[in-house]
Amino acid sequence: MSSSTTQSTAADDQAPAARRAATDALSVDGVSSDEGHAALRASVRRLGELLGESLTRHEGPELLDLVERVRRLARRPDGGTELAALLSGVDDRTAIVLARAFTAYFQLANASEQLHRGLELSRQPTGGLPPTLERVAEGLRSGELDREHAAAVIGRLQLRPVFTAHPTESSRRSVLDLLLRITGIVEASEDPQQRPLDAERGRRRLAELVDLLWQTDELRVDRPRVVDEARSALHYLRTLTSDVLPDLVEDLQAGLAELGLQLPEDGRPLRFGSWVGGDRDGNPNVTPEVTMEVLALQHDAALDLLVRAVEELRTELAASTQVVGVSEELAASLETDRELLPEVHAERVRLNSQEPYRLKLSYIAARLEGTRARLHDQTPHAPGLDYADADELVAELRLLADSLRAHDGQLVADGAVARLLRVVHAVGFSLATLDVREHAGRHHAALAAVYDRLGELDRPYAQLERAERRALLSRELTGHRPLIGAAARNLTGTPAEVFRLFSTVRQALDRYGDDAVESYIVSMTQGIDDLLAVVVLAREVGLVDLADPADDAAGDVARIGFVPLFETVTELEAAEELLEGLLADPSYRRVVAARGDVQEIMLGYSDSSKDGGIAASRWQIHRAQRALRDVARRHGVVLRLFHGRGGSVGRGGGPTGEAILAQPYGSLDGPIKVTEQGEVISDKYVQPRLARHNLEVALSAVLEASTLHRTSALPRDVLDVWDAAMDVVAGTGQRAYRALVGDPALIPFFLAATPVEELGNLNIGSRPSRRPGGTGGLEDLRAIPWVFGWTQSRINVPGWFGVGSGLAAAREAGHGETLRHMYGSWNFFRSFVSNVQMTLAKTDLAIAGHYVEELVRPEDRGVFTTIREEHARTVEQVLWVTGQSELLESAPVLRRTLELRDAYLAPLHALQVSLLGRARAAGEDPAPVLRRALLLTINGIAAGMRNTG
């Protein structure tokens, strides 16, 4: 945007005045300090020019002059007073245009960065095995890893990204789609083989798309419905399934084969999960009807995708009996198909009479369409006309592949057919397995209504101690009586809703198959009774059936798994005892055995950080994983950890591969689940190249951690010293953080210094920002707005506060050199410090000070002094531990990128402060145009920070 940073060229000299102004005001000469990124700098500059031309057409050249004045004043150390005076004289409509101009720049810059990140990754030299497989090979050669164990781990290897609808994506789908089209044209234009005519056409198309971007409203008019969120998730799931998954799994399979290892034919190393339509904790919009509607959408999308894939394979597979033969089994199946689907035979036999593989694929496509129609119309399964489940489709594809292998078609069988089989194994008919989540208290409310109606207890169920409820529910599981039965018809309120939820899960599994819903997550799990309550309710609708020991022919049934979610520091500390008690309960242990001896545990990063600060959160999650690992081993159970990570560091964010490798040794044994939400989804998956890279890195980390990180690489006495140091860091950090959030002045300070109260008007999610039934305090505020608010005003408290006090205390206790050794040798600690360093680099207390001075009452500003002191302490301690003289010294490209972003964020912050002051002065109902201007600054800062919640 700066004329001082733009070098004139001959072309610029000949450009119209508006174009030269656009170049000066809206381009950036350098997104990184690496000269190798010249193409990125050029594309950002080019898009900035087009944006400037668009603004001139729509708003006139005066706007560009104003943009440049605001930008220059925001960057000047002494420009605050003059800038405030300038912005105070800007009317609301001009404020809207200003906010949109800076936001559009960030949107274009972000899209360009994503494109060139993907291009750079695709151009990296390849050859030989990927690094992770090289390490596995070395482990096999050295004897560190035995082949039998490696094969067992590979058999259960599974990375499952779980897409959530948590409201942290501030950009509309319409804007993201436009940006994707823009980067497609930019990529084509950088092809050195492009003809001049094509280049000129691309220039016109880019100008057209940038114009459309300016004309597209960044803000949602209405809050999205759950079904809208489901459609957004499906957009990514379809792309990942068709464009990324087949090749990624094929490459993994080929790499393992080079080591003499084999991915099982039905292996599912990559699967997808979803919470959209299943997460009802605090979201009254997720009803049973919505859950079924979302599942219907998912299955229709999956079957449509499979039909297209089968038809594409049919186009390729033109092998003729004039050249090759077919197996007797395939020939016999075609005769059966002819009888069952005569209309398909009549349509295709003339064209494909000597092309049996094409004919077979036509029958398969017809059955898939029949399955789609059956699920849509909710009619019974018709054998031979549709598929009861994906296993039937797999059987037909294997029949086809076996015939190819027996008749000189090995390459096709192991190529195109195998790729389709991998897709079917990974996504089935559902694309993603839906998780259900509900609050523990609601299950007890349902059981209270039932037990109190029965009158069997000596006092109301709600008055029972946890130990009493545990004993009661454990006994209930050993019996076979219908606890609720006909009484379900008389339930009302919460008990009725809970029972309907379990009935809906049963209905979903009966209609769509066991992949439709797999995990039932219990949030706020604090006792064993919280899990047993869910199992009892599931038994009442037939989801669990523990056979009578006297019946030798019967087996235990558990159609879903039950997952405790440990969310607060206190819950994490008690996780070991709770899992030990659960697995020691004979009835519950039978449930786990019926699930293949797999116990899933979910770890909550967001609320544990909000509860105790980032240091205590990360350390207690790490300690909990160790303890849970040991409990699972004692009971012969495979532990599947589900990491509930957000996008920001304050909610568990950071590089996924690093986070996986930073887990305690032995805690990862093949399967893992990780949430993907909001802006993280679009950042990681909107570009297929980036999607491939991100999934490959994460899957490689899972494989490496599961095979090579089984035992400690360090002696016990070293780990004990490190643990002691981290105990000091976490304990002191937690006390500092809780002193801050316990200060009565914090809430008024937070509400005044951040736009948290205005976030709800952004309409970026279906879930309310506060938990229902609360008192309006900090405990009722969800972790997302807690982080989002601090991020907007650049204070970022959740991502670093308390760490400086913790590190300083550890050094004072004599752990100084230990901390440096930990940073150099311990993945967990290095990842933790690196993420804190990133957040510190995004923190700007000079900008934050402007919010405080203009918006916070003098009597509430003392909190900011505490924040400043802890920030200075944390920067000092992080630099000491890392051995740097400035933050991100070892990552100069990233540091330069953040510095450049700051130059364009500063005007948006200044504008937001001005608009917040106006809006609050206007009372509870500011003018719509003022509210819109304010929301646009929130949206723009989120785009510039590339981070919300």
Side-chain angles (χ1 to χ4, degrees):
M1 290 186 180
S2 169
S3 58
S4 62
T5 60
T6 302
Q7 302 298 318
S8 294
T9 65
D12 289 333
D13 291 339
Q14 297 166 10
R19 181 171 173 181
R20 287 200 302 272
T23 303
D24 288 346
L26 292 165
S27 71
V28 55
D29 190 16
V31 173
S32 81
S33 59
D34 186 350
E35 291 302 320
H37 293 169
L40 169 57
R41 296 195 296 272
S43 70
V44 173
R45 183 164 54 246
R46 179 183 180 191
L47 292 172
E49 292 174 2
L50 293 174
L51 176 60
E53 293 171 7
S54 181
L55 299 187
T56 301
R57 282 191 294 273
H58 287 85
E59 307 294 337
E62 298 82 6
L63 172 65
L64 290 177
D65 293 338
L66 180 59
V67 166
E68 179 64 3
R69 286 182 63 200
V70 169
R71 190 199 62 78
R72 281 200 307 265
L73 288 171
R75 293 187 67 182
R76 272 174 42 189
D78 61 345
T81 302
E82 189 176 348
L83 178 60
L86 173 63
L87 292 177
S88 66
V90 168
D91 60 54
D92 294 342
R93 186 189 178 284
T94 304
I96 287 174
V97 179
L98 268 178
R100 295 194 68 224
F102 284 105
T103 300
Y105 168 79
F106 280 126
Q107 290 168 338
L108 291 168
N110 289 345
S112 293
E113 285 182 4
Q114 286 180 322
L115 169 66
H116 286 85
R117 242 190 305 155
L119 289 172
E120 186 175 342
L121 289 167
S122 68
R123 291 167 184 155
Q124 290 177 352
T126 57
L129 291 174
T132 289
L133 290 182
E134 286 284 11
R135 287 189 284 273
V136 171
E138 178 57 33
L140 291 170
R141 286 192 293 268
S142 66
E144 177 191 353
L145 175 64
D146 67 82
R147 193 167 295 276
E148 183 178 347
H149 175 78
V153 170
I154 290 167
R156 58 179 176 264
L157 180 70
Q158 186 175 111
L159 167 68
R160 192 184 308 183
V162 180
F163 290 69
T164 79
H166 286 13
T168 64
E169 173 59 88
S170 59
S171 297
R172 291 179 60 205
R173 174 86 255 154
S174 300
V175 171
L176 295 174
D177 287 343
L178 275 172
L179 292 171
L180 191 58
R181 290 187 175 91
I182 287 170
T183 55
I185 304 261
V186 170
E187 180 179 359
S189 72
E190 295 178 1
D191 182 355
Q193 305 295 322
Q194 188 181 50
R195 299 182 307 164
L197 187 62
D198 294 333
E200 181 54 35
R201 187 188 314 112
R203 161 82 191 189
R204 292 195 303 270
R205 178 64 173 152
L206 269 183
E208 173 190 343
L209 290 171
V210 171
D211 243 27
L212 285 171
L213 181 67
W214 181 254
Q215 293 171 9
T216 301
D217 192 358
E218 302 94 327
L219 302 179
R220 297 172 177 88
V221 177
D222 297 310
R223 185 177 293 276
R225 299 177 304 146
V226 178
V227 173
D228 299 325
E229 294 169 329
R231 290 194 177 97
S232 180
L234 284 174
H235 171 84
Y236 292 101
L237 290 169
R238 279 193 293 259
T239 302
L240 291 172
T241 299
S242 59
D243 297 347
V244 178
L245 183 150
D247 291 343
L248 177 57
V249 179
E250 181 180 14
D251 291 347
L252 173 65
Q253 188 169 4
L256 291 171
E258 290 189 43
L259 304 183
L261 297 169
Q262 186 174 359
L263 186 68
E265 189 175 356
D266 59 353
R268 308 173 85 176
L270 180 61
R271 288 182 68 191
F272 300 114
S274 176
W275 274 21
V276 189
D279 179 15
R280 58 215 337 108
D281 180 16
N283 190 348
N285 301 304
V286 182
T287 63
E289 292 77 16
V290 164
T291 298
M292 295 303 289
E293 185 177 0
V294 168
L295 285 171
L297 282 173
Q298 284 187 200
H299 284 75
D300 189 72
L303 287 162
D304 177 66
L305 185 148
L306 290 174
V307 168
R308 292 171 186 268
V310 167
E311 289 174 344
E312 183 178 343
L313 180 59
R314 182 178 64 194
T315 301
E316 286 187 18
L317 237 174
S320 169
T321 52
Q322 293 290 335
V323 182
V324 295
V326 297
S327 68
E328 293 181 3
E329 293 80 5
L330 179 58
S333 78
L334 288 170
E335 286 301 315
T336 302
D337 293 339
R338 177 178 180 174
E339 295 174 7
L340 291 168
L341 297 165
E343 68 284 357
V344 176
H345 180 268
E347 178 187 351
R348 304 297 305 187
V349 71
R350 183 180 61 82
L351 298 173
N352 306 133
S353 61
Q354 295 180 337
E355 296 170 339
Y357 298 105
R358 277 185 165 175
L359 194 55
K360 183 64 182 177
L361 288 165
S362 294
Y363 291 123
I364 290 175
R367 289 193 179 98
L368 285 169
E369 290 286 15
T371 307
R372 195 175 175 189
R374 169 174 64 82
L375 294 179
H376 180 270
D377 299 336
Q378 299 182 32
T379 54
H381 166 52
L385 302 182
D386 60 47
Y387 293 117
D389 52 41
D391 289 342
E392 292 188 355
L393 171 60
V394 167
E396 291 213 280
L397 291 174
R398 283 179 177 168
L399 177 67
L400 189 145
D402 290 344
S403 177
L404 284 166
R405 291 191 181 96
H407 296 87
D408 301 321
Q410 181 79 28
L411 292 176
V412 179
D414 294 341
V417 179
R419 281 193 291 274
L420 179 53
L421 274 166
R422 279 190 284 272
V423 170
V424 178
H425 283 307
V427 303
F429 290 167
S430 64
L431 276 187
T433 298
L434 188 69
D435 288 343
V436 171
R437 182 171 74 140
E438 184 56 284
H439 194 284
R442 290 174 64 85
H443 306 128
H444 289 302
L447 287 174
V450 173
Y451 276 111
D452 293 350
R453 186 182 297 270
L454 291 174
E456 298 177 346
L457 306 178
D458 58 4
R459 62 185 185 280
Y461 176 92
Q463 295 179 13
L464 297 179
E465 300 292 334
R466 284 197 179 274
E468 295 174 304
R469 288 199 304 226
R470 172 183 174 181
L472 170 67
L473 298 172
S474 184
R475 286 196 306 272
E476 195 67 57
L477 282 177
T478 63
H480 296 276
R481 67 165 176 170
L483 178 62
I484 301 177
R489 292 193 298 270
N490 299 318
L491 296 176
T492 59
T494 295
E497 292 171 2
V498 169
F499 191 76
R500 272 218 310 150
L501 169 58
F502 283 93
S503 299
T504 299
V505 174
R506 169 66 186 268
Q507 179 187 359
L509 297 181
D510 290 345
R511 182 180 301 174
Y512 296 113
D514 288 344
D515 270 356
V517 178
E518 185 177 287
S519 299
Y520 192 108
I521 300 162
V522 184
S523 60
M524 289 297 171
T525 300
Q526 297 176 341
I528 296 171
D529 58 312
D530 291 334
L531 260 290
L532 295 181
V534 181
V535 181
V536 168
L537 289 166
R539 186 199 66 177
E540 291 303 299
V541 298
L543 292 171
V544 171
D545 185 7
L546 300 183
D548 189 331
D551 187 353
D552 295 334
D556 293 335
V557 174
R559 297 185 67 185
I560 57 173
F562 303 95
V563 183
L565 168 52
F566 302 118
E567 297 176 89
T568 66
V569 171
T570 301
E571 290 165 12
L572 288 164
E573 290 172 341
E576 176 183 14
E577 180 182 355
L578 188 144
L579 184 60
E580 178 66 48
L582 273 175
L583 295 180
D585 184 280
S587 296
Y588 186 79
R589 185 63 184 83
R590 288 170 65 186
V591 171
V592 175
R595 298 294 300 167
D597 281 325
V598 175
Q599 174 62 57
E600 183 176 321
I601 301 286
M602 186 169 184
L603 303 170
Y605 289 71
S606 302
D607 283 299
S608 61
S609 181
K610 177 170 168 278
D611 171 48
I614 188 171
S617 168
R618 295 300 180 276
W619 183 230
Q620 288 306 327
I621 286 174
H622 192 81
R623 276 197 171 279
Q625 288 179 85
R626 291 182 186 175
L628 294 167
R629 168 202 65 197
D630 295 342
V631 172
R633 284 179 173 177
R634 286 197 297 270
H635 288 272
V637 167
V638 173
L639 186 65
R640 180 168 68 197
L641 291 174
F642 184 3
H643 296 266
R645 304 169 76 228
S648 63
V649 170
R651 295 185 55 242
T656 303
E658 291 180 14
I660 290 171
L661 292 174
Q663 292 183 86
Y665 70 86
S667 61
L668 187 51
D669 195 23
I672 187 173
K673 293 170 65 175
V674 182
T675 52
E676 301 280 31
Q677 56 186 261
E679 79 283 1
V680 173
I681 296 175
S682 61
D683 187 56
K684 291 172 70 171
Y685 300 125
V686 74
Q687 292 279 354
R689 290 188 191 89
L690 285 180
R692 160 67 192 248
H693 171 73
N694 284 306
L695 289 173
E696 184 174 31
V697 167
L699 186 56
S700 296
V702 175
L703 176 60
E704 181 174 346
S706 297
T707 55
L708 299 177
H709 195 35
R710 296 177 297 145
T711 58
S712 175
L714 294 163
R716 181 69 261 175
D717 58 337
V718 173
L719 287 179
D720 287 343
V721 171
W722 290 5
D723 286 355
M726 270 309 302
D727 284 341
V728 176
V729 173
T732 305
Q734 179 172 319
R735 287 190 290 275
Y737 175 84
R738 285 188 168 165
L740 175 72
V741 298
D743 186 336
L746 179 72
I747 293 300
F749 175 88
F750 177 58
L751 296 179
T754 76
V756 66
E757 292 289 77
E758 289 76 14
L759 295 179
N761 295 319
L762 268 181
N763 292 328
I764 61 175
S766 67
R767 192 174 72 167
S769 60
R770 289 187 177 272
R771 290 187 168 89
T775 60
L778 176 62
E779 65 279 2
D780 303 328
L781 189 68
R782 294 190 181 277
I784 289 172
W786 171 248
V787 173
F788 205 146
W790 290 116
T791 302
Q792 285 281 308
S793 55
R794 302 297 292 279
I795 305 176
N796 292 326
V797 158
W800 57 264
F801 196 94
V803 174
S805 291
L807 292 174
R811 288 177 64 188
E812 291 169 8
H815 296 295
E817 290 308 313
T818 298
L819 292 174
R820 283 184 162 171
H821 189 200
M822 288 160 58
Y823 182 74
S825 306
W826 190 9
N827 282 341
F828 162 75
F829 189 66
R830 184 167 55 253
S831 175
F832 166 66
V833 173
S834 296
N835 285 331
V836 169
Q837 183 179 187
M838 167 70 77
T839 310
L840 288 170
K842 289 186 173 184
T843 300
D844 190 323
L845 294 190
I847 288 176
H850 188 45
Y851 282 80
V852 175
E853 291 165 10
E854 297 296 325
L855 302 172
V856 179
R857 296 181 307 174
E859 59 267 30
D860 294 328
R861 294 177 189 170
V863 171
F864 195 51
T865 302
T866 303
I867 290 172
R868 282 185 182 277
E869 291 172 351
E870 181 63 18
H871 179 264
R873 186 179 300 114
T874 305
V875 170
E876 176 189 3
Q877 297 300 321
V878 166
L879 292 178
W880 187 89
V881 168
T882 60
Q884 300 176 117
S885 58
E886 60 180 339
L887 294 174
L888 299 180
E889 183 180 293
S890 59
V893 172
L894 178 58
R895 188 179 71 248
R896 175 62 176 156
T897 298
L898 293 177
E899 288 171 354
L900 286 165
R901 284 180 176 274
D902 277 348
Y904 306 107
L905 277 165
L908 276 170
H909 286 296
L911 185 58
Q912 185 177 88
V913 170
S914 177
L915 294 172
L916 279 169
R918 292 188 216 177
R920 291 171 182 176
E924 296 183 0
D925 192 22
V929 67
L930 174 57
R931 173 174 291 174
R932 174 173 168 76
L934 178 55
L935 294 179
L936 284 165
T937 64
I938 295 174
N939 201 64
I941 291 170
M945 294 290 291
R946 299 192 73 168
N947 195 260
T948 49

